[in-house]
Amino acid sequence: MNFMQEFGQQMVNGIALGSVYALIALGYTMVYGIVKLINFAHGDILMVGAFAGFFVLTANGQDPSKISNPLMLVLAFIIAMAVSALFGVIIEKTCYKPLRKAPKINLLITAIGVSIVLENGARVIPWIGPNPKQFPVLKDIPIIDGISQMIKAQTGVFISPVQILSFIIAILLMLMLFYIVNFTKTGKAMRAASYDMGAAQLMGINVDNIISVTFAIGAALAAAAGILFALNYPQVEPYMGIMPGLKAFVAAVLGGIGSIPGAMLGGFIMGIAETLTKGFISSKLADAVAFGILIIILVIKPSGILGKNTREKV
Amino acid sequence: MLKIEGLNVFYGTIHALHDINFEVNEGEIVTLIGANGAGKTTTLHSISGLIEPKTGSISFMGSPITGVAANKIVKMGLCQVPEGRRIFANLSVLENLEMGAYTRNDKHNLKDDYEVVFTRFPRLKERIKQIAGTLSGGEQQMLAMGRALMSRPKLLLLDEPSMGLAPLLVKEIFSIIQDINKAGTTVLLVEQNANMALSIATRAYVLETGHIVLSGDAKELAASEEVRKAYLGG
Ligand SMILES: Nc1ncnc2c1ncn2[C@@H]1O[C@H](COP(=O)(O)OP(=O)(O)OP(=O)(O)O)[C@@H](O)[C@H]1O
Ligand SMILES: [Mg+2]
């Protein structure tokens, strides 16, 4: 393989990984935009979604080692996204909402607490437990395999079925999000409330509902990312959300926390930086590069690439 | 239409409003005037449900609204144009108006209401797609008023609409307030510009450090020695 092909291959890997980070980063950025909270439990919501998908895909009557029925895969995504959305809303209503008027640090500590509860809760639940479980692999789905083979033959670059699925799901969900945020009444209210919550209330917007919807959407996106992540590995375990969660957090900060396009851009940059580091420098350095990026942005441009230099409103 | 009795509001230990009593009758323009920090905004926020009063009662069209959620109060027909306009700078002009209409379920009437707002504020119509944050101060005030009108309020609260505007524009805004009132909307107007406010109001209340110290017919107050000295610069 020549250098260009190798580079192209790593870029493809990076974009595929980046699309997963972008999905997760969107949840951080949307929640931050509206309640000014870095939701440290967001990575664990991804884990919840991945397990929900796991249970759908390994339910009775299926081959637990592989997924060959595309309908089951669609069902897994839908159920996982719904379960995570429900978790997101329940956590918001029970843990964060009572603290809405409290100092931000209380909220942050609560989020860390929620994260610990979810991780260790998963460890003690008998169907989950502390040990990693094999996630079924994506195999023998003709359309996806066909696309993969065609690209390989045309360009010499190999895009795995999981990577193709990651692109498709990520792009689909981002388009849906774009539509919701820009063209629906709820989406407009989300933007209005994240700009000025008091003014939104004065216009008759029920901001409690809007906040719940925001948490639900962020959690659903994380669940989709969770399944994609699990398909790639392929395993699920209670701590699986921590690393992708942290990297997506860096992505959200890199793009400009609070900015939706920023989270997407940041996600792709993080994914590409990680795979290029792995491919051309050393796979041991990949995580160090991710957090090195965080330190560099915080020093150079804390508001991120697409972030606005808004002053903190009190 | 609006009746406030024995209202006491605290910020922590700061007693911001002391036993406030006043009312607004249907069809009136009532103004609440007072210096910086007198408690005008606090009063309006209490009415709109953004601040919970410690004691006292607020009723609107006969039903108590103390402790009612802010969004429900808007739905009942009471809308506020907040101090400093607070338009959604990240949304377009049209989207801001849509947010004003957020509580409306009668979709078929909305079109007419946009037309009413655009006739009242033609400049908004020209800038319908513009991002609201890029409007001039005067245009932003018009947008803030148009946005509130989209909720079809029976009672409109206005918090210092003249703030930061050139005198000519202040005149324009005040004449629009009169028009809105003539078209059937009752108005509670908070102002520091007492001269202008008294000139269009039916009745007035004067707020000083959280107390209502004077009240009465707007024309009489404008003529009174006390008010002239304290608020009208002689
Ligand atoms: N969030 C708050 N926390 C503490 N004190 C507050 C708060 N908001 C207002 N106050 C205090 O309450 C008093 C009344 O404030 P308010 O904003 O109602 O005055 P105002 O009459 O609207 O003044 P202005 O003309 O400057 O707008 C002031 O002393 C102010 O410092
Ligand atoms: Mg004020």
Side-chain angles (χ1 to χ4, degrees):
Chain A
M1 221 185 214
N2 64 30
F3 175 80
M4 274 324 285
Q5 266 183 341
E6 172 70 18
F7 183 76
Q9 181 69 58
Q10 292 302 345
M11 285 301 284
V12 165
N13 295 349
I15 294 171
L17 181 63
S19 60
V20 177
Y21 287 156
L23 286 179
I24 313 169
L26 284 166
Y28 279 110
T29 226
M30 289 170 65
V31 164
Y32 183 86
I34 203 153
V35 284
K36 305 291 174 273
L37 161 73
I38 303 292
N39 182 12
F40 275 113
H42 191 55
D44 304 300
I45 291 289
L46 173 152
M47 177 270 293
V48 168
F51 269 101
F54 172 79
F55 288 124
V56 174
L57 291 169
T58 57
N60 281 346
Q62 296 180 79
D63 179 351
S65 68
K66 64 173 186 156
I67 306 158
S68 38
N69 183 351
L71 281 180
M72 282 314 285
L73 191 61
V74 172
L75 191 67
F77 272 103
I78 292 173
I79 292 181
M81 290 171 78
V83 168
S84 280
L86 191 66
F87 264 72
V89 171
I90 292 173
I91 290 167
E92 190 274 321
K93 291 260 190 244
T94 57
C95 305
Y96 302 151
K97 191 179 166 205
L99 295 173
R100 206 164 287 156
K101 292 203 172 97
K104 286 287 171 266
I105 186 76
N106 300 20
L107 208 57
L108 206 63
I109 292 168
T110 307
I112 294 171
V114 170
S115 163
I116 294 170
V117 169
L118 288 176
E119 286 160 16
N120 292 285
R123 284 166 62 91
V124 298
I125 290 177
W127 309 283
I128 297 179
N131 297 322
K133 287 182 157 40
Q134 180 74 24
F135 201 84
V137 291
L138 199 58
K139 228 190 203 153
D140 307 331
I141 295 184
I143 320 165
I144 295 181
D145 285 356
I147 299 175
S148 176
Q149 277 152 17
M150 192 190 76
I151 295 172
K152 174 82 186 165
Q154 295 281 324
T155 64
V157 173
F158 175 64
I159 309 183
S160 74
V162 177
Q163 288 176 328
I164 292 174
L165 188 71
S166 299
F167 290 133
I168 296 173
I169 298 279
I171 288 172
L172 215 63
L173 290 177
M174 285 180 199
L175 286 176
M176 277 165 70
L177 181 71
F178 180 79
Y179 175 78
I180 292 173
V181 167
N182 288 297
F183 299 110
T184 66
K185 191 169 159 183
T186 303
K188 290 170 194 176
M190 281 165 69
R191 284 187 286 142
S194 71
Y195 185 78
D196 187 336
M197 196 172 297
Q201 282 176 292
L202 288 178
M203 291 308 115
I205 295 170
N206 184 338
V207 294
D208 286 341
N209 286 353
I210 296 297
I211 290 171
S212 292
V213 171
T214 307
F215 269 85
I217 293 176
L221 295 177
I227 293 183
L228 294 174
F229 211 75
L231 280 169
N232 221 345
Y233 247 151
Q235 60 180 34
V236 277
E237 48 101 8
Y239 292 133
M240 67 177 284
I242 297 178
M243 257 329 210
L246 279 174
K247 287 178 187 165
F249 163 65
V250 177
V253 175
L254 172 63
I257 190 116
S259 156
I260 287 178
M264 297 179 187
L265 180 66
F268 286 112
I269 294 177
M270 288 296 291
I272 291 168
E274 184 172 329
T275 53
L276 288 185
T277 310
K278 275 186 179 152
F280 293 106
I281 308 173
S282 152
S283 56
K284 291 194 187 105
L285 267 181
D287 292 349
V289 165
F291 299 111
I293 290 177
L294 177 63
I295 294 169
I296 294 169
I297 339 154
L298 290 181
V299 172
I300 299 176
K301 195 166 185 294
S303 59
I305 302 172
L306 300 180
K308 287 157 237 118
N309 275 313
T310 44
R311 66 201 159 81
E312 189 83 341
K313 268 182 294 183
V314 187
Chain B
M1 177 173 239
L2 180 75
K3 198 171 171 79
I4 292 172
E5 287 173 303
L7 192 69
N8 281 284
V9 174
F10 289 77
Y11 290 110
T13 54
I14 303 167
H15 196 169
L17 293 182
H18 298 257
D19 260 319
I20 300 288
N21 295 290
F22 71 88
E23 58 186 324
V24 179
N25 302 314
E26 189 152 7
E28 285 186 311
I29 298 181
V30 172
T31 181
L32 190 63
I33 53 179
N36 280 118
K40 306 180 297 292
T41 299
T42 304
T43 307
L44 292 195
H45 280 0
S46 306
I47 298 169
S48 283
L50 288 190
I51 299 177
E52 191 148 354
K54 185 129 197 173
T55 58
S57 75
I58 306 170
S59 68
F60 175 58
M61 318 240 302
S63 27
I65 54 167
T66 354
V68 172
N71 60 302
K72 299 212 173 101
I73 293 175
V74 177
K75 208 163 165 62
M76 291 169 74
L78 194 165
C79 196
Q80 180 180 157
V81 180
E83 182 175 351
R85 336 195 196 296
R86 292 173 69 173
I87 51 145
F88 303 117
N90 55 334
L91 269 55
S92 71
V93 167
L94 182 63
E95 286 170 339
N96 268 273
L97 296 177
E98 286 170 19
M99 290 299 102
Y102 193 82
T103 55
R104 299 274 301 274
N105 298 325
D106 50 334
K107 278 215 175 83
H108 50 285
N109 290 327
L110 274 182
K111 229 181 151 120
D112 297 342
D113 290 0
Y114 282 113
E115 276 321 304
V116 169
V117 168
F118 289 139
T119 332
R120 199 146 265 151
F121 306 104
R123 278 206 255 173
L124 294 183
K125 186 163 192 177
E126 295 157 22
R127 292 171 170 75
I128 197 160
K129 287 252 152 66
Q130 195 171 325
I131 295 298
T134 62
L135 295 175
S136 74
E139 288 159 1
Q140 290 192 10
Q141 183 61 46
M142 293 174 188
L143 179 57
M145 290 169 68
R147 182 180 67 171
L149 288 177
M150 286 307 297
S151 72
R152 275 211 182 167
K154 299 186 181 84
L155 173 62
L156 185 65
L157 313 182
L158 292 152
D159 197 346
E160 299 201 37
S162 72
M163 189 200 254
L165 301 184
L168 212 62
L169 213 54
V170 174
K171 268 210 163 119
E172 191 180 334
I173 294 285
F174 272 73
S175 101
I176 292 170
I177 295 171
Q178 280 181 299
D179 291 345
I180 292 170
N181 176 251
K182 279 189 197 118
T185 306
T186 309
V187 173
L188 173 58
L189 170 67
V190 155
E191 263 300 340
Q192 282 197 48
N193 189 338
N195 245 329
M196 284 299 289
L198 290 172
S199 75
I200 66 163
T202 340
R203 290 185 307 112
Y205 295 87
V206 179
L207 199 58
E208 218 173 271
T209 57
H211 300 266
I212 289 189
V213 291
L214 276 172
S215 64
D217 182 87
K219 301 280 162 313
E220 281 168 25
L221 276 183
S224 93
E225 198 61 27
E226 233 178 315
V227 174
R228 298 190 68 81
K229 269 218 184 92
Y231 300 100
L232 305 177

